[in-house]
Amino acid sequence: MSKIIPFKAVRPTADKVALVTCRTYDDYSSAELAAWLNFNPYSFLHVIHPAYANTQKITIDKRFKGVLHKYQDFKNENILVSEDKPVFYLYEIQAKHQTFTGIIAGTSVEDYQQNIIKKHEDTLQYRVELFKDYLHQTGFNTEPVLITYPDSVEINTFISLRKKSEPIYAFATPNKEKHTLWKIDTQSEIDWLQEHFENIPNLYIADGHHRSASAELLYEQDKHLGNKNLNYFMSFLIAESNVKIYEFNRIIRDLNGLTKDDFIKKLAENFIIKTKDQELWKPQNKFEFGMYLDGSFYALFYKQNQKETSVLENLDAQILYDTVLNPLLGIEDLRNDERIDYIPGKQSVSVIKDLIDEGEYEVGFMLYPTNISEIKTIADNNLIMPPKSTYIEPKFRSGLVVYEL
């Protein structure tokens, strides 16, 4: 039984929404960030990256206060306005190859604690605490947790019919995506959605494990204050068939003292190796891996897949770690080892080739994407996937909808 609630959101005025909303802060290079801050005074980047932080070193506490101050400026200048009453939203992203549609709602911290909302990734405590402090001091969040639910004919029908109505936003972004937002504000629609989600036994976090963990930590810290907004966190709920799951590919700086020939010989103990020369080869199936080394591509076919039984052991990311990254290349900590970096699978394999050819990295591995069934099975068994196992879309635009605490 999954509980969702409408909430009194803060959002941009319709005439400025295309200027206000932005990609996630971490998605910008330093040069791109500076250009947007200089070019666009309405960008939400001014809120999440206060201008003075460019010119001086400041404490985290002062930075968070600067975020809150700039956020209040945006509200005072009527760049951002508040809803009159709690609502749900229907949000559609038309990307180049796929359209994503979901519901923006508040989801329950209690459901999260009781594992009705299930997780498949581990979190870093310092990141959880840092974002908790951010929420506590700024009093708002604009990046929802991406949560999947089992496909429902009834909900799909509701969404299809609702999309025929007049949206409150319809705008394009520089990356050629189209964004459309509808307000769901009648009591009958709100009741209907809540009743249908109550019939869903479990929800699954696709992206945003740190944000949901921070929301729980803030709730435990401040629940004595009686602020009911802390009982929920903003989520973007999307049918599980509508998410796009990419792999994270791995690039490693060295062969841990091994020669190329010795490394390939050791690989052959667990993989059938086929040379692909200059073919930009990517895995076509589970238990297949691509490798780029010394100017050539290789296809690696895992030999031992019939011997593994647990869902975790059968994950391609775990197989690569257990057979190559840890025992051969000496990488133990996938999160913090500076010898390994990650490239989202939506980027071309040629990016990996170029990085290795430039000499900073020595070998790269391409993985086959995990599917939603594997993610759910991992979560249902209270297991944790290896770090950087999935890169999941859609990605939400900052500043589109704000949940105030």
Side-chain angles (χ1 to χ4, degrees):
M1 179 175 173
S2 304
K3 184 176 183 180
I4 64 170
I5 63 159
F7 60 97
K8 286 185 66 173
V10 174
R11 56 184 177 84
T13 55
D15 62 325
K16 297 182 180 69
V17 62
L19 295 170
V20 172
T21 64
C22 60
R23 306 195 309 271
T24 301
Y25 170 76
D26 292 337
D27 202 29
Y28 292 87
S29 67
S30 297
E32 193 178 12
L33 179 64
W36 276 108
L37 288 169
N38 288 329
F39 167 73
N40 180 6
Y42 294 110
S43 174
F44 203 77
L45 288 169
H46 287 283
V47 175
I48 55 182
H49 187 87
Y52 61 76
N54 289 324
T55 58
Q56 61 181 6
K57 292 183 179 180
I58 59 172
T59 64
I60 291 293
D61 183 67
K62 188 173 181 181
R63 180 187 173 107
F64 291 165
K65 288 179 180 177
V67 170
L68 176 58
H69 178 75
K70 196 64 179 179
Y71 176 68
Q72 294 295 344
D73 285 347
F74 268 46
K75 292 179 69 176
N76 293 336
E77 295 167 12
N78 290 322
I79 299 170
L80 300 174
V81 294
S82 301
E83 293 286 4
D84 295 330
K85 63 178 184 178
V87 301
F88 291 128
Y89 296 101
L90 180 63
Y91 178 39
E92 180 180 87
I93 304 168
Q94 291 184 24
K96 184 176 181 179
H97 298 294
Q98 188 169 346
T99 296
F100 305 98
T101 310
I103 296 161
I104 303 171
T107 48
S108 168
V109 170
E110 184 175 321
D111 284 357
Y112 176 87
Q113 292 175 324
Q114 294 180 357
N115 213 30
I116 293 170
I117 299 175
K118 297 199 171 190
K119 313 94 180 165
H120 69 266
E121 283 187 7
D122 206 354
T123 55
L124 296 173
Q125 190 61 26
Y126 82 90
R127 283 187 58 191
V128 172
E129 292 182 0
L130 181 64
F131 193 65
K132 181 265 294 180
D133 292 341
Y134 169 90
L135 295 174
H136 176 74
Q137 293 198 47
T138 65
F140 74 88
N141 178 37
T142 186
E143 294 186 13
V145 177
L146 182 64
I147 289 181
T148 66
Y149 60 86
D151 282 67
S152 161
V153 173
E154 293 84 0
I155 295 176
N156 287 344
T157 301
F158 171 86
I159 288 174
S160 296
L161 292 172
R162 199 62 176 77
K163 283 165 62 175
K164 294 178 181 180
S165 64
E166 186 72 20
I168 56 174
Y169 298 146
F171 64 98
T173 52
N175 59 353
K176 297 182 178 180
E177 290 181 347
K178 182 181 177 182
H179 300 259
T180 311
L181 190 76
W182 294 263
K183 188 191 298 188
I184 301 172
D185 58 353
T186 68
Q187 195 59 50
S188 60
E189 289 177 312
I190 290 171
D191 291 344
W192 188 92
L193 277 174
Q194 288 182 310
E195 289 171 6
H196 276 72
F197 272 91
E198 284 177 359
N199 293 326
I200 297 175
N202 290 108
L203 302 174
Y204 293 82
I205 296 176
D207 189 24
H209 286 79
H210 283 88
R211 294 191 291 277
S212 51
S214 297
E216 180 198 18
L217 198 61
L218 181 64
Y219 166 77
E220 291 296 339
Q221 172 184 293
D222 292 346
K223 61 183 179 183
H224 66 281
L225 300 176
N227 180 0
K228 292 185 178 179
N229 287 350
L230 296 177
N231 297 359
Y232 301 89
F233 54 90
M234 183 169 66
S235 294
F236 184 35
L237 299 144
I238 188 167
E240 60 187 37
S241 66
N242 196 208
V243 297
K244 177 64 176 177
I245 304 173
Y246 295 93
E247 73 281 9
F248 262 111
N249 297 314
R250 279 85 163 111
I251 49 175
I252 296 91
R253 297 183 189 277
D254 59 69
L255 294 182
N256 196 31
L258 296 171
T259 65
K260 171 187 170 182
D261 290 342
D262 286 343
F263 181 61
I264 291 178
K265 183 177 179 181
K266 289 180 178 294
L267 282 179
E269 296 174 8
N270 288 301
F271 299 91
I272 298 169
I273 303 173
K274 294 185 179 180
T275 304
K276 294 293 181 178
D277 297 320
Q278 295 304 301
E279 179 186 349
L280 296 175
W281 192 83
K282 290 185 69 173
Q284 305 301 304
N285 297 287
K286 188 172 171 56
F287 301 123
E288 297 177 4
F289 302 83
M291 181 175 74
Y292 184 69
L293 174 65
D294 193 27
S296 294
F297 283 91
Y298 299 84
L300 310 180
F301 301 93
Y302 186 50
K303 294 178 181 178
Q304 310 298 324
N305 59 76
Q306 298 302 319
K307 295 184 180 180
E308 309 295 352
T309 55
S310 82
V311 63
L312 184 59
E313 290 173 322
N314 274 324
L315 282 178
D316 284 1
Q318 189 68 42
I319 290 169
L320 186 67
Y321 177 78
D322 289 340
T323 60
V324 181
L325 299 181
N326 187 11
L328 303 187
L329 297 179
I331 295 172
E332 295 184 8
D333 188 344
L334 292 172
R335 289 188 184 275
N336 299 308
D337 196 315
E338 294 182 352
R339 294 171 54 229
I340 186 169
D341 281 314
Y342 302 89
I343 306 295
K346 66 179 299 182
Q347 296 191 29
S348 171
V349 176
S350 62
V351 172
I352 295 174
K353 178 182 185 301
D354 291 344
L355 287 169
I356 293 172
D357 288 346
E358 289 169 3
E360 186 176 352
Y361 301 89
E362 193 159 354
V363 62
F365 295 96
M366 287 69 75
L367 285 73
Y368 188 71
T370 302
N371 61 50
I372 192 67
S373 295
E374 289 178 305
I375 291 174
K376 289 177 67 175
T377 303
I378 289 286
D380 288 340
N381 286 277
N382 297 315
L383 298 172
I384 298 299
M385 297 177 74
K388 298 291 187 181
S389 290
T390 57
Y391 179 90
I392 300 179
E393 290 186 336
K395 300 298 184 184
F396 202 87
R397 287 187 73 77
S398 292
L400 180 69
V401 176
V402 180
Y403 183 89
E404 290 193 334
L405 300 168

